[in-house]
Amino acid sequence: MGNARRPFLAGNWKMFKTISEALQMAAKLKPAVMTVKDADIALCATFTLLKPLADSLKDSNIMVGAQDVYWEEKGAFTGEVAPGQLLDAGCACVVIGHSERRQFFGETDETVNKKTKAALKAGLLPIVAVGELLAQREAGTTMQVVGTQLAGGLAGLSAADAAKITIAYEPVWAIGTGKTASPAQAQEVHAFIRGELRKMFGGTAEQMRIQYGGSVKPDNVDELMRQPDIDGALVGGAALEAESFARIVKFARG
Ligand code: PGA
């Protein structure tokens, strides 16, 4: 661990698992990570899994998170789920602005901003995801893209609110492709993100956790976590099995 921030390892199950599959994995993961006291751990699952998963993890050190949220508290918004409903189901956190939502479901920096504010108001911890496409990296616009996503997604937040937010830097070209950003490539963007957060929130930026996401696996997590501005991981594929996710949670300290 390159810094004093408490590591935060979150699994993103995407649109995988039935209730029984989720409970089976939770039952295996719980004892496997029980002894980990120096990190926050979460599993972010589809809406139908949240309540049974949260019930099964009640007496554990694993939080449950959702993968999206709507920004209104209640009302005629067929198909949407409110922040209070996530809390009621046992969620502690929620991923907002994942690149799959940006690419396939019309998520914008403006909707990310509304969702982030609503989640905070309800008492959920937002994990706000940012990251560039391959074409943007190749065109040399990575920092510009990520900077715009941060400025838009976090607009109007106080430093006190910002302290509760985790940023997930996920280069889109590394998601589900087996192509991880090199630790140096990731660190470069993480340091840039920290600088942007400092401009927006001053010293609070030092407290804010920045996760790396994109093909994090048991065999690359240690080196990624050694980077000074990488404070955790948002893990897709390798979080679907208890053994590999437990190994990621137990990345090499020191
Ligand atoms: P991956 O997904 O670990 O399968 O690349 C990461 C994510 O999309 O959060």
Side-chain angles (χ1 to χ4, degrees):
M1 266 176 290
N3 63 64
R5 290 174 289 272
R6 185 176 166 84
F8 184 10
L9 296 308
N12 171 15
W13 279 354
K14 308 195 179 188
M15 201 174 69
F16 290 101
K17 294 196 190 288
T18 60
I19 292 173
S20 68
E21 288 165 351
L23 295 182
Q24 263 175 35
M25 163 149 172
K28 281 191 204 154
L29 186 65
K30 227 174 9 173
V33 301
M34 197 171 58
T35 54
V36 176
K37 307 275 186 229
D38 62 350
D40 290 329
I41 309 167
L43 289 174
C44 301
T46 44
F47 294 129
T48 54
L49 304 180
L50 295 174
K51 173 68 174 153
L53 189 62
D55 285 347
S56 80
L57 293 173
K58 224 168 223 158
D59 53 347
S60 79
N61 55 345
I62 306 165
M63 294 185 276
V64 171
Q67 300 171 1
D68 191 21
V69 63
Y70 194 56
W71 57 79
E72 294 287 348
E73 282 174 20
K74 57 175 74 165
F77 302 105
T78 303
E80 293 296 326
V81 179
Q85 293 176 315
L86 294 183
L87 267 189
D88 184 47
C91 281
C93 54
V94 56
V95 179
I96 297 172
H98 189 279
S99 65
E100 285 148 21
R101 298 222 60 85
R102 293 178 189 262
Q103 277 181 286
F104 309 136
F105 304 101
E107 190 86 84
T108 64
D109 295 334
E110 194 189 352
T111 58
V112 167
N113 187 242
K114 288 184 180 179
K115 291 176 179 187
T116 302
K117 287 176 175 162
L120 285 166
K121 191 173 171 208
L124 291 164
L125 302 172
I127 299 174
V128 177
V130 299
E132 81 287 2
L133 303 168
L134 182 59
Q136 293 167 329
R137 174 158 285 261
E138 286 174 345
T141 57
T142 296
M143 304 307 180
Q144 199 179 314
V145 167
V146 170
T148 301
Q149 289 172 338
L150 287 172
L154 306 182
L157 293 175
S158 67
D161 278 341
K164 298 175 198 139
I165 294 176
T166 298
I167 304 295
Y169 168 59
E170 300 202 302
V172 179
W173 48 271
I175 294 179
T177 58
K179 262 196 253 169
T180 330
S182 69
Q185 272 177 327
Q187 167 57 27
E188 185 189 16
V189 183
H190 280 236
F192 168 79
I193 291 172
R194 182 98 45 215
E196 294 298 291
L197 296 175
R198 217 174 273 133
K199 284 187 218 160
M200 286 185 260
F201 307 116
T204 301
E206 310 311 321
Q207 271 167 259
M208 294 176 70
R209 293 179 293 188
I210 309 174
Q211 296 172 327
Y212 169 78
S215 300
V216 175
K217 308 284 177 209
D219 65 7
N220 60 26
V221 67
D222 296 342
E223 214 189 331
L224 286 162
M225 289 301 292
R226 260 180 224 124
Q227 306 306 308
D229 288 290
I230 299 185
D231 310 316
L234 185 56
V235 186
L240 290 169
E241 299 297 332
E243 215 171 282
S244 61
F245 188 54
R247 170 63 184 83
I248 288 170
V249 169
K250 295 175 168 175
F251 68 91
R253 269 62 167 173

Coordinates of all heavy atoms in Angstrom, one line a residue, residues 14 170-181 212-221 224 233-238 248:
K14 N -22.0 -7.1 -12.5 CA -22.7 -6.8 -13.7 C -24.0 -7.6 -13.8 O -24.6 -7.8 -12.7 CB -21.8 -7.1 -14.9 CG -20.4 -6.3 -14.8 CD -19.6 -6.2 -16.0 CE -18.3 -5.5 -15.7 NZ -17.5 -5.1 -16.8
E170 N -11.6 3.6 -14.7 CA -11.7 2.4 -15.5 C -11.5 2.7 -17.0 O -12.4 3.1 -17.7 CB -13.0 1.7 -15.3 CG -13.3 1.3 -13.9 CD -14.4 0.3 -13.8 OE1 -15.5 0.5 -14.3 OE2 -14.0 -0.8 -13.3
P171 N -10.3 2.6 -17.5 CA -10.1 2.8 -19.0 C -10.9 1.7 -19.7 O -10.8 0.5 -19.5 CB -8.6 2.5 -19.2 CG -8.1 1.9 -17.9 CD -9.0 2.1 -16.8
V172 N -11.8 2.2 -20.6 CA -12.8 1.4 -21.2 C -12.1 0.2 -22.0 O -12.6 -0.9 -22.0 CB -13.7 2.2 -22.1 CG1 -14.8 1.3 -22.8 CG2 -14.4 3.3 -21.3
W173 N -11.0 0.5 -22.6 CA -10.3 -0.5 -23.4 C -9.7 -1.6 -22.5 O -9.3 -2.7 -23.0 CB -9.1 0.1 -24.2 CG -8.3 1.1 -23.4 CD1 -8.5 2.4 -23.2 CD2 -7.1 0.7 -22.6 NE1 -7.5 2.9 -22.4 CE2 -6.6 1.9 -22.0 CE3 -6.3 -0.4 -22.5 CZ2 -5.5 2.0 -21.2 CZ3 -5.2 -0.4 -21.7 CH2 -4.8 0.8 -21.1
A174 N -9.7 -1.5 -21.2 CA -9.2 -2.5 -20.3 C -10.3 -3.3 -19.6 O -10.0 -4.3 -18.9 CB -8.3 -1.9 -19.2
I175 N -11.5 -2.9 -19.9 CA -12.6 -3.6 -19.2 C -13.0 -4.9 -19.9 O -13.4 -4.8 -21.1 CB -13.9 -2.7 -19.0 CG1 -13.5 -1.5 -18.1 CG2 -15.1 -3.4 -18.5 CD1 -14.6 -0.5 -18.0
G176 N -12.9 -6.0 -19.2 CA -13.3 -7.3 -19.8 C -12.5 -7.7 -20.9 O -12.9 -8.7 -21.7
T177 N -11.4 -7.1 -21.2 CA -10.6 -7.4 -22.4 C -9.3 -8.2 -22.0 O -8.6 -8.8 -22.9 CB -10.1 -6.2 -23.0 OG1 -9.3 -5.4 -22.1 CG2 -11.2 -5.3 -23.5
G178 N -9.0 -8.3 -20.7 CA -7.8 -9.0 -20.3 C -6.6 -8.1 -20.4 O -5.5 -8.4 -20.1
K179 N -6.8 -6.9 -21.0 CA -5.7 -5.9 -21.2 C -5.8 -4.9 -20.0 O -6.6 -4.0 -20.0 CB -6.0 -5.1 -22.5 CG -5.3 -5.5 -23.7 CD -5.3 -4.4 -24.7 CE -6.3 -4.8 -25.8 NZ -6.5 -3.7 -26.8
T180 N -4.9 -5.1 -19.0 CA -4.9 -4.1 -17.9 C -4.0 -3.0 -18.3 O -3.1 -3.1 -19.0 CB -4.2 -4.8 -16.7 OG1 -4.4 -6.1 -16.7 CG2 -4.7 -4.2 -15.4
A181 N -4.4 -1.8 -17.8 CA -3.4 -0.7 -17.9 C -2.2 -1.1 -17.1 O -2.3 -1.8 -16.1 CB -4.0 0.6 -17.3
Y212 N -8.8 1.5 -9.2 CA -8.5 1.2 -10.6 C -9.5 0.0 -11.0 O -9.7 -0.9 -10.2 CB -7.1 0.8 -10.8 CG -6.9 0.2 -12.2 CD1 -6.8 1.1 -13.3 CD2 -6.9 -1.2 -12.4 CE1 -6.7 0.5 -14.5 CE2 -6.9 -1.7 -13.7 CZ -6.8 -0.8 -14.7 OH -6.7 -1.4 -16.0
G213 N -10.0 0.1 -12.2 CA -10.8 -1.0 -12.7 C -10.4 -1.3 -14.1 O -10.1 -0.4 -14.9
G214 N -10.5 -2.6 -14.5 CA -10.2 -3.0 -15.9 C -9.3 -4.1 -15.8 O -8.1 -4.0 -15.7
S215 N -9.9 -5.4 -15.9 CA -9.1 -6.6 -15.9 C -8.2 -6.7 -14.7 O -7.1 -7.2 -14.8 CB -8.3 -6.8 -17.2 OG -9.2 -6.8 -18.3
V216 N -8.6 -6.3 -13.5 CA -7.9 -6.6 -12.3 C -8.0 -8.1 -12.0 O -9.1 -8.6 -12.0 CB -8.4 -5.7 -11.1 CG1 -7.7 -6.1 -9.8 CG2 -8.2 -4.3 -11.4
K217 N -6.9 -8.7 -11.7 CA -6.9 -10.2 -11.5 C -6.0 -10.4 -10.3 O -5.2 -9.6 -9.9 CB -6.3 -10.9 -12.7 CG -6.9 -10.6 -14.0 CD -8.3 -11.3 -14.2 CE -8.9 -10.8 -15.5 NZ -10.3 -10.8 -15.6
P218 N -6.1 -11.7 -9.7 CA -5.2 -12.0 -8.6 C -3.7 -11.8 -9.0 O -2.9 -11.4 -8.1 CB -5.4 -13.5 -8.4 CG -6.9 -13.7 -8.8 CD -7.1 -12.7 -10.0
D219 N -3.3 -12.0 -10.2 CA -1.9 -11.9 -10.6 C -1.4 -10.5 -10.9 O -0.2 -10.2 -11.2 CB -1.5 -12.9 -11.6 CG -2.2 -12.6 -13.0 OD1 -2.9 -11.6 -13.1 OD2 -2.0 -13.5 -13.9
N220 N -2.3 -9.5 -11.0 CA -1.8 -8.1 -11.2 C -2.2 -7.1 -10.1 O -1.7 -6.0 -10.1 CB -2.2 -7.6 -12.6 CG -3.8 -7.5 -12.8 OD1 -4.5 -7.4 -11.8 ND2 -4.2 -7.6 -14.0
V221 N -3.0 -7.6 -9.2 CA -3.5 -6.6 -8.2 C -2.4 -6.1 -7.3 O -2.4 -4.9 -6.9 CB -4.6 -7.3 -7.3 CG1 -4.2 -8.4 -6.5 CG2 -5.3 -6.2 -6.5
L224 N -0.5 -3.2 -8.9 CA -1.4 -2.1 -9.1 C -1.5 -1.4 -7.7 O -1.4 -0.1 -7.6 CB -2.8 -2.5 -9.6 CG -2.8 -2.8 -11.1 CD1 -4.1 -3.6 -11.4 CD2 -2.7 -1.6 -12.0
A233 N -9.7 -1.3 -5.9 CA -10.0 -1.8 -7.3 C -11.5 -2.0 -7.4 O -12.2 -2.3 -6.4 CB -9.3 -3.2 -7.5
L234 N -12.0 -1.8 -8.6 CA -13.4 -2.2 -9.0 C -13.2 -3.4 -10.0 O -12.6 -3.2 -11.0 CB -14.1 -1.0 -9.6 CG -15.6 -1.3 -10.0 CD1 -16.4 -1.7 -8.8 CD2 -16.2 0.0 -10.6
V235 N -13.7 -4.5 -9.6 CA -13.3 -5.8 -10.2 C -14.6 -6.4 -10.9 O -15.5 -6.7 -10.2 CB -12.7 -6.7 -9.2 CG1 -12.2 -8.0 -9.9 CG2 -11.6 -6.1 -8.4
G236 N -14.5 -6.7 -12.2 CA -15.6 -7.4 -12.8 C -15.4 -8.9 -12.8 O -15.7 -9.6 -11.8
G237 N -14.9 -9.4 -13.9 CA -14.8 -10.9 -14.1 C -14.2 -11.6 -12.9 O -14.7 -12.6 -12.5
A238 N -13.1 -11.1 -12.4 CA -12.4 -11.8 -11.3 C -13.1 -11.7 -9.9 O -12.7 -12.3 -8.9 CB -11.0 -11.3 -11.1
I248 N -7.8 -11.1 -4.3 CA -7.7 -9.6 -4.7 C -7.8 -8.8 -3.4 O -7.1 -7.9 -3.2 CB -8.7 -9.2 -5.8 CG1 -8.2 -9.8 -7.1 CG2 -8.9 -7.7 -5.9 CD1 -9.2 -9.8 -8.2

